[in-house]
Each structure stands twice: as structure tokens, then as C-alpha cells.
Amino acid sequence: MTVEIDRNSGFCGGVIRAIEGAERLLAENGCLYSLGAIVHNEAELARLHAKGLVTLTSLGAAPASFPSSPKKGSAGKAPVSAQKTLLIRAHGEPPCTYVQAGEKGFKVVDFTCPVVLNIQKSIREAAERNAPEGQFVIFGKIGHAEVLGLVGQVDGKAVVIENSAQLKQALSDGRIDTSRHIDIFSQTTKSPVEYEQICNTLAQKMASPDLLAVHNTICRQVASRHRELAEFARSHDVVVFVSGRESSNGKVLSELCRSENARTYCIVDASGLDPVWFRPEDNVGVCGATSTPKWLLEEVASQIKNLH
């Protein structure tokens, strides 16, 4: 049995930037708060929590007071206000979050992915151009952190749809008015093929083609990964897809793998492996989401090699 790790799997650039920033701050300060999970991967979160990262589910869950004696940094000193540092993860946040963080006494360190920041800017600019009649449609996971940040750029005045069925429902019940201008955006990690289908359906319903502005907001790195991963899945007998349970990107990419290879198995870590999945002659491919660390993929691959 041979085992190959997909060279294109692993953290995307935005996640790498946020985690490297978190590790640097933890090394300097010994204490750091993150608003929401910095990455949707349980194993990587456990590693960072062991270094001192504290995940807040909301600003309302922030402690009334901060630790009085943060762990000493690499220089042997505890920096002033280190205990009040709040990391904004790659997903981004709505403008109100920054105001609330200041009111809570946090010093904000913003690691919003540059791609997401550009989308947020595009939505604000579209709102300025088309006010007050403009409409906004966002193709993404309802309640996802990135989507909430995008919706917040227009004070919540956007319709979020997850699939074609929801688009049709929003058209039917009048939440999307095809006689008025519409700007449509996508969450960065969604399927490019599905987004194209959504945009085509909406275009066919518009009273005039000039009333629809389609914004190409799927991350290029993610878009290329879809193509590469489909080929990777086809070229192996078995695919083991490694992803955190809460990873939206993981759900999309694992479904892509399964559509290309019926012998696709999804696990969180090496403990989820089952020997019955494999035959001695199999060529096994190990891959993962944009939130899956390389070290975890290597751990899974090593465990598979030891099964037979």
C-alpha cells in the first residue's frame, strides 16, 4: 500500500498569517484572546490553547477582569496590556465588533485575511454607489463568521443564501427584488461551480442584465484547490479527508472528493481511521481542508502506513 499526501492541502495563506501572528504574540505575551476559533480544526486549536490562547465565543463572554500576572514573554518581561490583547481571526468581523472590543478594554490585533478585507471594502463601496435602492445577496453559509462580517458591512441589509433552493425561495417570497439593482458576493471558500450556477440563475430572473453586478469573490487559492483536489481524488484508490467538524470549507471539499471517488472517508484525526477501508494494493491519498494543518496530515499518513 502506498500513501501520498496532497501537496496542495493544508492551511490557506490567510490562516497561516493568523496562526503565525498568534504564535508570535503568545511567545511575547504569554496570554492572548481570540474572538471565535482561530481555525476550525480541533487538533490545531488544542495545540494553540496549550500555548496560552483563550477562545471567546463572543465579546459577551469576555472576562470582567484580565489576568494580573500574564506569563513572561521570551525577553523575560510581561508587556504592558498583554493580557488585554484580542485577536481578530482570518474570517473577519463586522464594524460593530471593533467598537465593542474597545469598550471591553481590549487592544485589537487584526488578522483578517486580506482577501476578506477586500470583499468587505467592495461591499461598502457598492452600498455607497447604489444607495438607497441597492440590494445585496451573499452566497455563503448562514451564520458563518466570514459571512456575518460581510453582512455587517451593510448593517445587516443583505440576503444570505446557501444553495439554489434558497435562492429560488428568496425570489419567490420577494426578499430579492429582480426589478432593482443587486450586487452578489460569495463567501471566499465556496464552490466556484456552485457560485456560477447561482449567479446564472439570478441573471436569468433579472428585469434587465444591467441591474445585476456579479463580484468574483471566491479566493483564487481556494478555487484552484477545487480543481486540483478533484484530480487528486480521481488518481487514488482511497481518499482520506482530514478536517475539523466545524469547517465549512472542509464540508465543501470532502463532498467534492466523494463526488470524484466513492471510497472517500472523512476523519478529524488519526484516531478515526478504520483498517477495513484499505487493501494491501491500494494507492491512498490523504488530503484536507484549508483549516487542516500539514502536521496533522502527516500524522494521519504515518498511521495509515502502519496499518498493514
Side-chain angles (χ1 to χ4, degrees), residues 22-306:
E23 289 181 318
R24 183 173 64 253
L25 290 167
L26 286 166
E28 294 172 354
N29 303 333
C31 184
L32 176 66
Y33 292 88
S34 169
L35 184 54
I38 190 173
V39 62
H40 289 147
N41 185 275
E42 293 86 343
E44 181 67 4
L45 282 176
R47 186 184 73 84
L48 292 171
H49 288 165
K51 290 177 176 288
L53 182 69
V54 177
T55 299
L56 300 177
T57 55
S58 68
L59 284 174
S65 60
F66 299 95
S68 56
S69 300
K71 188 170 68 176
K72 290 183 179 181
S74 56
K77 298 180 180 179
V80 177
S81 299
Q83 69 272 26
K84 291 188 177 183
T85 304
L86 180 72
L87 180 144
I88 301 296
R89 55 192 172 162
H91 300 89
E93 288 288 331
C96 63
T97 294
Y98 297 85
V99 176
Q100 294 167 1
E103 293 171 349
K104 286 282 186 178
F106 281 110
K107 171 188 174 183
V108 173
V109 180
D110 195 348
F111 284 103
T112 301
C113 173
V115 176
V116 175
L117 283 175
N118 283 335
I119 301 172
Q120 292 179 348
K121 179 182 178 182
S122 294
I123 291 179
R124 293 194 301 271
E125 290 174 346
E128 292 173 1
R129 284 195 305 270
N130 302 308
E133 293 300 316
Q135 300 174 91
F136 303 92
V137 176
I138 297 174
F139 172 54
K141 182 180 178 182
I142 295 172
H144 188 278
E146 180 188 325
V147 173
L148 293 176
L150 299 180
V151 172
Q153 306 305 312
V154 287
D155 299 323
K157 298 174 183 176
V159 177
V160 180
I161 57 167
E162 294 186 345
N163 49 49
S164 294
Q166 289 186 4
L167 172 61
K168 292 176 182 177
Q169 182 59 46
L171 290 167
S172 176
D173 61 26
R175 283 181 294 135
I176 297 177
D177 183 355
T178 55
S179 67
R180 294 164 45 207
H181 185 86
I182 297 173
D183 284 272
I184 184 168
F185 300 83
S186 173
Q187 181 181 333
T188 56
T189 55
K190 296 297 285 182
S191 163
V193 173
E194 195 173 357
Y195 184 45
E196 183 178 11
Q197 293 170 345
I198 291 286
C199 292
N200 288 341
T201 298
L202 186 56
Q204 292 169 7
K205 301 292 184 180
M206 299 301 296
S208 168
D210 297 335
L211 292 174
L212 178 63
V214 175
H215 299 264
N216 183 16
T217 54
I218 291 177
C219 174
R220 291 181 182 177
Q221 185 178 355
V222 172
S224 63
R225 187 169 292 187
H226 278 251
R227 296 189 297 271
E228 295 158 351
L229 193 58
E231 175 58 32
F232 183 82
R234 288 192 297 268
S235 64
H236 291 82
D237 299 309
V238 184
V239 173
V240 177
F241 190 91
V242 188
S243 175
R245 295 183 181 88
E246 300 302 317
S247 172
S248 176
N249 171 255
K251 291 181 175 63
V252 172
L253 293 182
S254 63
E255 289 171 2
L256 172 64
C257 285
R258 189 170 284 111
S259 70
E260 299 291 343
N261 188 328
R263 293 179 67 195
T264 293
Y265 302 98
C266 300
I267 61 172
V268 174
D269 54 37
S271 67
L273 291 169
D274 189 334
V276 302
W277 296 343
F278 310 100
R279 297 186 293 248
E281 67 274 17
D282 279 338
N283 178 17
V284 181
V286 177
C287 52
T290 56
S291 54
T292 304
K294 283 284 189 182
W295 66 261
L296 185 55
L297 295 174
E298 292 168 356
E299 188 176 280
V300 168
S302 177
Q303 186 66 26
I304 294 172
K305 292 175 183 177
N306 293 329

